[in-house]
Amino acid sequence: MGDIEKLREIVKESSNIVFFGGAGVSTESGIPDFRSTDGLYSLKYEYPPEMIVSHSFFMNATEEFYEFYKDKMMALDAKPNKAHYKLAQWEKEGKLKAVVTQNIDGLHQMAGSKEVMELHGSIHRNYCERCHHFFDAAYVKNSAGVPLCTECGGRIKPDVVLYEEGLDNKILQKSVSYISQADTLIIGGTSLVVYPAAGLIDYFKGKYLVVINKSPTSRDKQADLCINGSIGEILDQI
């Protein structure tokens, strides 16, 4: 039995699937990945990107932060791909219970997924630091320089988890709950090097662990099924 056949069988047999995904799910929608060789980390900026997207850099060099953030992290024209649509379909059919994602682009919701745990926040939510007024992604992207609040003039901060910041506890707990109750966990498009997100995999006690990624991951040995390739192309065949 080939890998695709095997995956088809697993999905058919499962009634409580959780999908855990990372940047590789979005690269197929044209959003650059931080860590791949052609990803953001290899671009030549004055500062290393991991420094730019840190809490202290946001506080101390807000203009430079926003220059990079708007340019490289806000791909507002990106559209969901085959992987996003397949996961949304499975949720509609009652097979998939939740998507746990490290991505901040909102593409899962755009494809129709309802139960999405955004571990690292979303570019689509932005709040004034002073009066907490809400702003959408377009307002931030189209603002000149540092986006300011139209209500009180305060500085706007994206609701994304920057380096040096902690993950939202509620989202973490819900993710743990979904993963620990799943009968099948499909990990896709993530190198599993970002903690604490990657540590959530340890809570899985179900039947099938599936890893779909272009390059090897630290969990390949544990997996019941490991497929190297494009997540969109693979899920589309199921």
Side-chain angles (χ1 to χ4, degrees), residues 49 54 77-78 93 114 171 226:
S54 69
D77 299 331
E93 292 166 357
K114 302 275 185 272
I171 305 268
C226 207

Side-chain angles (χ1 to χ4, degrees), residues 28-29 77-85 106-112:
E28 290 172 41
S29 292
D77 299 331
K79 299 278 181 279
N81 60 54
K82 291 169 181 172
H84 296 107
Y85 285 118
L107 291 180
H108 284 291
Q109 290 92 329
M110 218 182 282

